[in-house]
Amino acid sequence: MSVAGIDPEIATLVIPLVAAALLAVLPGYRTTARLNIVASLATLVAATSLFFVDRPPPGAYLLVDDLNIVFLVLTAFVAFTTSIFSASYIGHEIEAGHLSPAYLRFYHAMYQLLMFGMNLALLANNIGIMWVAIELATLTTVLMVGIYRTHEALEAAWKYFILGSVGIALALFGTILVYMASGPVIGEGGDSMVWTNLVAHADRFDPALLNVAFIFLLLGYGTKVGLAPLHAWLPDAHAEGPTPISAVLSGLLLNVALYAVLRFKILLAASPDALAPGPLMVTMGLSSLLFAGLMLYRRRDIKRLFAYSSIEHMGVIVFAFGMGGPLANFAGLLHMVMHSLTKSGIFFAVGHIAQVKGTQKIAGIRGLTVSHPALGWAFVVGVVAIAGLPPLGIFMSEFLVVTSTFAREPLLAVILVVGLLVGLGALFLRVNDIAFGEPTGSTAPVKASYLPMYVHFGLVLAAGVYVPPMLALWFENVSALLG
Amino acid sequence: MGSGLSFDVAHLLAGSLVLVSFMLLYQDRMYALLNIFALHALVLALSVAWQAYVQDAPHLFVTAAIALIFKAIVIPVALRRIVERLGIHREIETVGGVGLTMLAGMALVGLSMVVMLRVTGDADPLAREDLAFALSVVLLGLLMMVTRRNAVSQVIGFMSLENGLILAATGAKGMPLVVEISVAFSILIAFIVIGIFLFRIRERFDTVDVRALDDFRGERQ
């Protein structure tokens, strides 16, 4: 069924594309920031309506199912709140003279193009198109990371580009191998790259070829997820780009890459003789968790600190999906949603903090709860949430991951808990310095709306106390789909 | 298997691509590196054109033309100008010695042969040998990217890697989107080479040596 003649899934692609074209030419900061918000809202409405309308049957290009609706709505929601945060953040950057009008147009156009790329990657039913879309999304973020043109920003963008390209290349090779495996069964041509066809016929694919393909895909898309040891781009890209981009990188782009890995995991699960993808993902997830947990201790830059925390949490999520089974998948999905909401909320807070204090160095930020109580306490709530303490949402999802693992692999669960505790210790050490004590630096009030940040933390808190049964049921269905 | 000749020619061209990848590995002069890369792209163009002819897939000629015009001519010329104008050092610094890099390269080629030939036992022999060579080219490109410190030679490493991907994609018979992917890659490379990065790096740095960028890392103070 369609609304006003346009299917909502098409709308989630067309709206960002049209908005990107408009934003590339329109002048004026106020108009364009508002248009960016309106376009993001419209995309959110279109994505949410997918919950309610009848779904079209899977086509040669697009697919709507239980799995990608979750990702799509989450993406559209965080993109919308980030666009509100971005408006005030960019306003400050223009006042401070960090961005010129030409770069502003470029920034907004890239923001919408990124949304288009991510939505297309999520909706694509063709593994070739999915690859192209993820590449597009990555490139737009590379350009945005380098937008300040400082030494650090250029280095970060260059590193991101080089490692991202390696990831792109490995993923394409994996995609070609999947085609080689499917070609003899489904036949040559476009049909052999359609994901629904692939899953339907996966039992007859050459399992050895599929195994090698999955390794390439896991390494390729895993680079984008930020899994250790392929994570090197992530902290730099988060630290040097504009903060709204850090929020969408951590909150969304990592998820989209993970979604690609999950699609191929389902494909492998449909082939009985292929290797089990679980142990590989478990290993990568745990090593990311442990590595990032240790790295958290020596951070002096607040955005880098939370970038490493993103690696840690992506590790937990990949671990949960690697364990598999209904409970662990449910926990992984929930953790992913909670992490996206919390981490982008934290980056909103960090953006306000860095702008008012004029520095990202943790040493230059002290006593935030004294100088800016509203911001400071919200930040503390965010850090408590991301550290995984009750009663917030991440506690619940981490608890589920740990308990479901204890029931099956106690040894792995012990490693998992150690990793989580290491990370928790580091975060508290840092937040103590930042939030309490004698305030340093500017005490000027923040001229920005805290609303997006409050909404995110409010949702995380609410989810920690009560998950609506409808949502839980939906997640259960998706968990079953993930196998 | 197709006729013996078509197999042999495809084999020869794909094997030559691996050989030229090795030649890229040990170049220590910038202009020589650019020339060898042009040769790399030329061999790729021939190989793709041969596949287009053998598979009777005329759209692949577009990919071959892109490789010939864009990668074998336009990009090397543009890079040569950038090197001249920026006054980039003509000698390329490498990590580790040439001997070590070559040994690593041989190991990677051996690895890709073992892996690809073993897992593609049932596939069409032309495709499987092509795939093994393509993986070798991809891995050698990766090796080049990690053993070079200089931004221009890293880009060349990336382009040679991408040539390997195009070889793999054209070898997979009837694969859709090959032309689109090669166009997308060309746009990406044009973007990178002519546009933002080198332009900005020239603007802000006196060198395109990535190690110089490392010195500006945020956390070193």
Side-chain angles (χ1 to χ4, degrees):
Chain A
M1 197 176 80
S2 58
V3 180
I6 299 175
D7 292 324
E9 74 273 14
I10 307 279
T12 59
L13 301 177
V14 172
I15 295 168
L17 209 53
V18 172
L22 282 177
L23 288 168
V25 291
L26 285 180
Y29 146 68
R30 272 172 213 292
T31 350
T32 49
R34 272 190 203 136
L35 179 59
N36 195 30
I37 295 173
V38 170
S40 306
L41 179 64
T43 314
L44 174 62
V45 171
T48 317
S49 71
L50 282 171
F51 274 118
F52 307 106
V53 301
D54 294 333
R55 285 175 214 160
Y61 300 107
L62 298 185
L63 163 77
V64 182
D65 65 2
D66 285 353
L67 176 61
N68 64 12
I69 289 182
V70 174
F71 280 80
L72 204 61
V73 172
L74 181 67
T75 303
F77 177 76
V78 176
F80 168 59
T81 50
T82 307
S83 71
I84 299 176
F85 165 68
S86 162
S88 66
Y89 180 88
I90 293 297
H92 185 281
E93 295 298 285
I94 289 175
E95 270 175 34
H98 292 155
L99 280 176
S100 68
Y103 278 98
L104 181 74
R105 282 211 297 274
F106 179 74
Y107 167 84
H108 277 137
M110 283 297 143
Y111 189 88
Q112 288 298 329
L113 205 57
L114 170 65
M115 296 311 144
F116 167 75
M118 290 197 292
N119 289 348
L120 181 61
L122 294 174
L123 284 168
N125 193 21
N126 181 310
I127 56 175
I129 292 179
M130 183 156 101
W131 177 83
V132 171
I134 292 182
E135 175 184 347
L136 177 72
T138 309
L139 283 178
T140 56
T141 45
V142 167
L143 294 174
M144 285 197 280
V145 165
I147 204 167
Y148 287 139
R149 306 167 76 192
T150 57
H151 297 308
E152 294 86 356
L154 289 179
E155 190 217 345
W158 180 260
K159 204 177 195 178
Y160 183 19
F161 163 68
I162 291 287
L163 275 166
S165 307
V166 171
I168 284 172
L170 294 178
L172 178 59
F173 201 80
T175 307
I176 295 171
L177 288 178
V178 171
Y179 172 78
M180 296 277 294
S182 73
V185 178
I186 303 178
E188 285 163 18
D191 285 350
S192 321
M193 287 183 103
V194 174
W195 186 81
T196 36
N197 285 351
L198 293 174
V199 172
H201 298 97
D203 52 339
R204 285 188 290 141
F205 292 174
D206 181 357
L209 204 52
L210 220 48
N211 290 347
V212 179
F214 183 75
I215 301 215
F216 277 100
L217 290 163
L218 182 65
L219 287 176
Y221 290 128
T223 311
K224 304 274 164 66
V225 182
L227 293 177
L230 308 161
H231 66 279
W233 62 271
L234 195 146
D236 289 10
H238 278 68
E240 306 306 341
T243 310
I245 299 314
S246 314
V248 284
L249 264 178
S250 259
L252 302 178
L253 192 59
L254 305 186
N255 289 351
V256 173
L258 178 69
Y259 168 85
V261 173
L262 290 180
R263 280 277 180 221
F264 287 106
K265 180 179 178 253
I266 298 175
L267 181 62
L268 238 72
S271 169
D273 296 327
L275 96 173
L280 284 174
M281 292 171 71
V282 164
T283 314
M284 285 187 91
L286 273 186
S287 56
S288 308
L289 168 68
L290 288 173
F291 170 79
L294 291 172
M295 292 299 279
L296 279 174
Y297 280 89
R298 298 212 31 215
R299 295 309 103 197
R300 299 196 189 97
D301 180 303
I302 189 166
K303 283 167 87 178
R304 267 174 211 272
L305 177 75
F306 289 109
Y308 275 103
S309 153
S310 290
I311 301 177
E312 184 196 357
H313 283 280
M314 290 321 277
V316 175
I317 298 163
V318 169
F319 171 83
F321 286 128
M323 288 300 292
L327 198 55
N329 281 337
F330 183 92
L333 265 182
L334 190 65
H335 195 71
M336 188 194 78
V337 174
M338 290 299 127
H339 172 252
S340 288
L341 291 175
T342 316
K343 190 52 67 61
S344 37
I346 284 183
F347 273 115
F348 300 163
V350 167
H352 295 314
I353 294 170
Q355 284 189 333
V356 74
K357 296 286 186 190
T359 179
Q360 289 177 208
K361 298 263 172 288
I362 292 175
I365 309 166
R366 289 273 184 275
L368 206 63
T369 50
V370 181
S371 61
H372 301 84
L375 179 60
W377 284 110
F379 176 70
V380 171
V381 169
V383 176
V384 166
I386 206 77
L389 289 190
L392 290 110
I394 288 193
F395 167 74
M396 199 174 66
S397 53
E398 276 181 357
F399 183 76
L400 274 174
V401 177
V402 171
T403 47
S404 66
T405 312
F406 253 120
R408 291 156 63 191
E409 299 281 348
L411 192 65
L412 290 181
V414 171
I415 303 175
L416 180 70
V417 170
V418 168
L420 289 174
L421 288 178
V422 167
L424 183 136
L427 284 171
F428 274 116
L429 221 58
R430 291 281 163 257
V431 77
N432 195 26
D433 292 346
I434 294 169
F436 306 108
E438 275 300 300
T440 56
S442 162
T443 51
V446 178
K447 284 178 289 179
S449 164
Y450 291 150
L451 192 65
M453 182 172 73
Y454 288 152
V455 169
H456 277 222
F457 292 152
L459 282 172
V460 174
L461 184 63
V465 182
Y466 172 74
V467 176
M470 232 188 78
L471 195 68
L473 192 69
W474 193 285
F475 277 16
E476 273 167 29
N477 286 342
V478 177
S479 307
L481 204 72
L482 286 170
Chain B
M1 203 197 302
S3 73
L5 178 70
S6 74
F7 178 80
D8 286 344
V9 172
H11 209 173
L12 174 75
L13 289 171
S16 312
L17 203 62
V18 178
L19 193 70
V20 181
S21 279
F22 268 110
M23 288 166 70
L24 282 174
L25 269 186
Y26 65 74
Q27 298 306 317
D28 56 0
R29 291 274 188 282
M30 189 58 83
Y31 288 150
L33 184 71
L34 293 176
N35 290 340
I36 301 292
F37 174 72
L39 179 65
H40 201 264
L42 179 69
V43 175
L44 176 77
L46 288 175
S47 177
V48 174
W50 184 255
Q51 292 283 359
Y53 169 69
V54 170
Q55 295 179 17
D56 199 15
H59 63 277
L60 288 184
F61 281 117
V62 178
T63 305
I66 291 173
L68 183 66
I69 296 166
F70 187 73
K71 286 195 219 142
I73 300 169
V74 176
I75 286 289
V77 169
L79 280 176
R80 186 179 278 265
R81 288 192 141 187
I82 288 173
V83 169
E84 268 169 23
R85 201 170 296 168
L86 299 189
I88 295 169
H89 294 295
R90 306 288 160 88
E91 281 134 48
I92 304 167
E93 265 191 89
T94 54
V95 186
V98 169
L100 212 60
T101 315
M102 295 299 276
L103 278 179
M106 279 190 263
L108 288 176
V109 173
L111 178 78
S112 62
M113 293 294 162
V114 170
V115 170
M116 290 321 301
L117 294 182
R118 181 167 299 170
V119 300
T120 55
D122 309 332
D124 164 35
L126 177 56
R128 76 189 264 246
E129 307 252 334
D130 235 19
L131 213 55
F133 283 130
L135 182 59
S136 308
V137 174
V138 168
L139 292 178
L140 290 174
L142 273 179
L143 181 67
M144 185 167 163
M145 284 173 83
V146 297
T147 54
R148 298 306 168 97
R149 291 204 181 283
N150 167 298
V152 171
S153 42
Q154 283 188 342
V155 169
I156 290 188
F158 175 63
M159 290 191 292
S160 75
L161 182 160
E162 186 243 317
N163 285 353
L165 290 173
I166 300 292
L167 182 70
T170 49
K173 214 171 163 209
M175 180 163 149
L177 293 171
V178 174
V179 179
E180 288 83 347
I181 285 172
S182 62
V183 171
F185 263 130
S186 306
I187 293 170
L188 164 64
I189 288 169
F191 227 124
I192 299 309
V193 170
I194 306 157
I196 315 291
F197 280 101
L198 291 179
F199 180 68
R200 284 184 175 182
I201 286 172
R202 179 187 61 178
E203 214 172 46
R204 294 279 173 177
F205 302 94
D206 296 318
T207 166
V208 208
D209 189 331
V210 174
R211 207 170 36 170
L213 301 185
D214 284 340
D215 295 337
F216 296 114
R217 284 185 59 110
E219 297 209 296
R220 293 262 167 96
Q221 285 93 0

